[in-house]
């Protein structure tokens, strides 16, 4: 079983592939460039849920059933104090936090409008094992099309999702594409900044990318040994 790993940008893709050592094999398929290393096929699918979903769907279609698991990976913002800068998070729920409608009474998720879905839950056993080997925090990871940059928005997100540990821009899109083929999805993030008022100078992108490489060095045996029948246990 091969694992498809989808990042947003090439530096995240390269951080994942470095975990295996050596130079990855580059495969060009319609809509995507895949870097193959060990059991992982890694691609940089673009920023945001739409680009991530499209790139994931292209890669899965080109894979012709080779994949048993899809992983959304990269850096993201962590909610304090649950996920400080430099920590790792593994999603136990992948949540589309801004998919819905604004109303006079506040935000209504798409499910509250009577259609669609706004969350995916990765296989619990895989979440536990991934968190155990990497030392990651587990909790909901929010997918947002706009990075949070204010205290008010942070408070609103935590009011709606009080156990959220991180935010990023691609997880739900990746999970949506995977679900279209009946595949489970996992999301792992290395925290580069604290969710809140935007302070670009305080971001630690290099440290987060190093943490991402270290995490996949520990994760590869877990992902390689995981089988779909484990998903509900």
């Amino acid at each position: 079983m091969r694992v498809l790993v989808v990042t947003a940008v090439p530096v995240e893709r390269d951080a994942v592939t470095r975990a295996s050592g050596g130079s990855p094999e580059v495969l060009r398929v319609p809509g995507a460039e895949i870097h193959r290393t060990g059991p992982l096929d890694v691609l940089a699918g673009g920023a945001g849920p739409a680009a991530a979903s499209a790139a994931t769907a292209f890669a899965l279609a080109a894979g012709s059933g080779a994949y048993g698991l899809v992983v959304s990976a990269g850096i993201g913002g962590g909610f304090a104090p649950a996920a400080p800068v430099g920590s790792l998070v593994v999603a136990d729920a992948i949540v589309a936090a801004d998919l819905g409608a604004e109303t006079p009474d506040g935000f209504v998720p798409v499910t509250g409008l009577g259609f669609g879905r706004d969350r995916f839950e990765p296989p619990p056993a895989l979440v536990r094992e991934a968190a155990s080997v990497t030392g990651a925090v587990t909790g909901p990871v929010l997918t947002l099309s706009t990075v949070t940059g204010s205290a008010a928005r942070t408070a609103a997100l935590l009011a709606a999702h009080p156990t959220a540990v991180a935010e990023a821009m691609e997880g739900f899109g990746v999970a949506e594409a995977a679900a279209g083929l009946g595949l489970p999805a996992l999301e792992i993030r290395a925290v580069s900044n604290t969710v809140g008022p935007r302070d670009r100078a305080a971001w630690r992108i290099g440290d987060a990318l190093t943490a991402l490489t270290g995490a996949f060095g520990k994760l590869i045996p877990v992902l390689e040994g995981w089988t779909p029948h484990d998903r509900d246990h």
Side-chain angles (χ1 to χ4, degrees), residues 5-96:
V5 181
V6 184
T7 71
V9 294
V11 291
E12 294 171 323
R13 177 199 64 205
D14 295 345
V16 172
T17 58
R18 276 196 297 272
S20 289
S23 299
E25 178 187 3
V26 178
L27 308 174
R28 289 178 172 83
V29 300
E33 178 181 283
I34 292 173
H35 288 209
R36 175 163 290 178
T37 175
L40 308 181
D41 284 1
V42 191
L43 67 91
S53 187
T56 302
F58 272 120
L60 290 174
S64 301
Y67 301 111
L69 175 67
V70 183
V71 180
S72 177
I75 63 176
F79 287 98
V85 173
S87 64
L88 295 164
V89 300
V90 173
D92 63 13
I94 301 170
V95 182

Side-chain angles (χ1 to χ4, degrees), residues 35-223:
H35 288 209
R36 175 163 290 178
T37 175
L40 308 181
D41 284 1
V42 191
L43 67 91
S53 187
T56 302
F58 272 120
L60 290 174
S64 301
Y67 301 111
L69 175 67
V70 183
V71 180
S72 177
I75 63 176
F79 287 98
V85 173
S87 64
L88 295 164
V89 300
V90 173
D92 63 13
I94 301 170
V95 182
D98 58 0
L99 181 62
E102 290 290 345
T103 76
D105 297 319
F107 178 76
V108 177
V110 68
T111 52
L113 302 176
F115 57 90
R117 65 184 300 172
D118 61 0
R119 66 190 288 130
F120 291 94
E121 294 185 357
L126 182 58
V127 170
R128 290 192 298 270
E129 192 168 1
S132 176
V133 300
T134 61
V137 174
T138 61
V141 174
L142 309 184
T143 298
L144 298 162
S145 294
T146 302
V147 173
T148 300
S150 69
R153 179 59 172 155
T154 303
L157 288 171
L158 286 174
H161 309 279
T163 60
V165 293
E167 70 169 27
M169 300 179 75
E170 294 80 31
F172 189 83
V174 172
E176 188 84 86
L181 290 179
L183 296 174
L186 183 71
E187 184 171 9
I188 181 165
R189 297 281 165 184
V191 176
S192 60
N193 59 284
T194 298
V195 178
R198 188 170 176 81
D199 180 8
R200 189 65 175 76
W203 288 25
R204 297 292 179 264
I205 292 176
D207 293 343
L209 291 171
T210 298
L212 189 65
T213 299
F216 268 85
K218 299 170 183 175
L219 267 178
I220 286 173
V222 172
L223 300 177

